[in-house]
Amino acid sequence: MFGIIETVEGSVVDVRFPPTEEPAYREALRIELGPGSELFLEVHGHSEPGLVRALALSPTAGLRRGQQVERTGRPLDIPVGEQLFGRVIDCIGTPLDGGAPLQTRERRSLHRNPPALHRHLPGLEPLQTGIKVIDLLCPFARGGKTGLFGGAGVGKTVLLMEFISTIADRYAGVPVFAGVGERIREGHELWNEFSESGLMERTVMVFGQMDAPPGARLRVIHAALTVSEWFRDVQGREVLLLVDNIFRFVQAGMETSAMLGRLPSRVGYQPTLATELAEVEERISSTADGTITSIQAVYVPADDLNDPGAATVMGHLDARVVLSRARAAAGLYPAVDPLRSQSRLLAADVVGERHAQTAEAVVRTLSRYKELEDVIAMLGLDELSPEDRRAVARARRLERFLTQPFIVSEPFTGRKGARVPLPETITGCERILTGEFDDIDEQRLYMLGGVADLDRLVR
């Protein structure tokens, strides 16, 4: 069945069909542009009987009124299977890496329901990353969802790349990377690094670049989820779904909402923000067949965690890692804010009594230092009581011990990267809290690894 283009306004295309043959919501439409060239649209609304409003997934240059549009009778879909390993594709499976077209037998719809509630795994276990501050204070959930919150330039992408390197080495899983609104430079660097390290051979990358139409950027994460679900449900694999950046998905939704003529909601966001995010986040789940562990970078506009875009994402997460601009400016990398980062796994019945008690003592010491900062700035350190001076000294040593050189940043910093087992992190913090390093210059604890590096300081 064919329709006719009535209007083209940017990425929005109005198509007229016979009233009895109009396509359904989210049905894919196809336009033949020439030999071997086609353009896909997705139906997003019905203006009147027979007239549908659709979003283009690629530039609309060259479309004209009166051009034929074909109904496909199905939603947008993407090829799935092991043939995707080592490939970089867009949201409908078109290769972006210059390789041959994908020859896969099975295709799946981008829009799928989450697993039934009774199929979800009942509990979560910590996922060890080898990054001291995260494993200690905001442990990740294996089979859960974690968000990396921060403004521009505080290290979200570098931290995400370190997770990829760490978890892919430690767990024999399938990394699926969703680049939503990525800069082409960052995507190319990531592709090269994965290729050089050998990770690309078992990784799938789905990209919607920054210059792609908003309809394409909006569907990147749905495509990556569909690929992840195939590996989980069909092969029973452990999948690591990495999203950089989930806020760009929210932005794409805001752009498409404005194009479709919807009235904006708070701070200009789309009125469907909560629904669109829930559709995505609820599909990220683990069942008896396999697990999907998701780590999502979240850009925070103006460093405001109360922004509706960031706050709505936060409500779906098991752990949140908040990156601090002040800590980044002080050179305390990773710039994780230990007082605002949280994880629901940090309980004695999940991580163990020793871990929970040590984490609580570290947070208590750092909180006391935070309370005293204004007093120190006005009156000086000497005006504090001996007990408070000890707390400040140990807090500063804890801050420096929890810094860490990354393996992925070795070429830029010249420092050898370190991954520290959790027991060593706990032991190191306990030794600092008991005062063993009170006489050691605090700067000597900066960018250390585990217990072996601490032992060298006291010899």
Side-chain angles (χ1 to χ4, degrees), residues 87-128:
R87 301 304 302 269
V88 184
I89 58 175
D90 66 10
C91 65
I92 55 174
T94 304
L96 300 176
D97 53 12
L102 293 166
Q103 302 296 330
T104 56
R105 295 179 181 177
E106 186 178 357
R107 298 181 72 94
R108 284 193 172 190
S109 168
L110 267 59
H111 304 289
R112 300 173 60 82
N113 293 324
L117 189 60
H118 69 273
R119 295 189 59 228
H120 288 229
L121 290 180
L124 296 173
E125 61 177 278
L127 178 74
Q128 305 300 327

Side-chain angles (χ1 to χ4, degrees), residues 125-390:
E125 61 177 278
L127 178 74
Q128 305 300 327
T129 66
I131 300 173
K132 291 183 285 189
V133 66
I134 287 172
D135 288 347
L136 179 70
L137 301 180
C138 44
F140 286 6
R142 188 175 186 180
K145 292 170 282 216
T146 299
L148 307 180
F149 292 81
V154 293
K156 295 186 299 300
T157 300
V158 173
L159 197 53
L160 193 67
M161 289 167 63
E162 183 71 8
F163 294 145
I164 297 169
S165 172
T166 302
I167 295 171
D169 286 349
R170 182 170 299 183
Y171 300 96
V174 176
V176 178
F177 186 90
V180 186
E182 278 281 280
R183 299 175 183 88
I184 187 62
R185 170 186 56 79
E186 291 178 345
H188 194 258
E189 287 175 359
L190 191 67
W191 181 33
N192 282 336
E193 286 178 14
F194 271 47
S195 299
E196 291 169 6
S197 65
L199 277 176
M200 197 63 210
E201 297 173 1
R202 53 191 175 95
T203 299
V204 182
M205 288 189 174
V206 187
F207 273 92
Q209 294 163 207
M210 191 173 277
D211 64 340
R217 285 182 271 124
L218 186 68
R219 293 300 176 230
V220 167
I221 191 165
H222 295 86
L225 270 167
T226 299
V227 173
S228 301
E229 288 166 342
W230 186 89
F231 284 111
R232 178 194 66 192
D233 299 337
V234 175
Q235 292 198 334
R237 304 284 289 275
E238 183 166 310
V239 182
L240 177 64
L241 175 63
L242 304 134
V243 185
D244 190 7
N245 187 301
I246 191 72
F247 183 78
R248 306 295 179 202
F249 165 75
V250 173
Q251 277 190 319
M254 184 164 43
E255 290 177 51
T256 57
S257 181
M259 288 178 175
L260 295 168
R262 298 182 188 135
L263 289 174
S265 183
R266 288 189 302 160
V267 202
Y269 284 101
Q270 62 271 39
T272 53
L273 169 63
T275 304
E276 289 176 2
L277 265 173
E279 282 184 346
V280 167
E281 298 288 357
E282 291 304 305
R283 287 174 63 183
I284 303 171
S285 56
S286 299
T287 68
D289 297 324
T291 64
I292 298 179
T293 301
S294 174
I295 302 174
Q296 308 167 20
V298 188
Y299 170 71
V300 182
D303 294 338
D304 180 14
L305 287 175
N306 294 317
D307 180 88
T312 306
V313 174
M314 199 176 294
H316 293 276
L317 303 174
D318 300 297
R320 73 181 193 200
V321 178
V322 180
L323 300 179
S324 162
R325 192 170 301 280
R327 295 178 71 82
L332 299 174
Y333 289 104
V336 175
D337 188 328
L339 303 182
R340 292 199 293 170
S341 301
Q342 297 177 356
S343 171
R344 70 185 183 96
L345 277 73
L346 195 58
D349 58 343
V350 178
V351 298
E353 194 71 36
R354 182 187 175 211
H355 181 173
Q357 288 181 351
T358 303
E360 183 182 353
V362 168
V363 170
R364 188 167 57 245
T365 304
L366 294 174
S367 297
R368 184 59 181 158
Y369 176 37
K370 182 77 173 175
E371 293 169 2
L372 294 169
E373 279 184 334
D374 290 341
V375 177
I376 296 169
M378 290 187 291
L379 302 177
L381 191 62
D382 294 336
E383 296 301 315
L384 300 180
S385 67
E387 182 181 350
D388 283 341
R389 283 202 297 272
R390 278 196 302 273

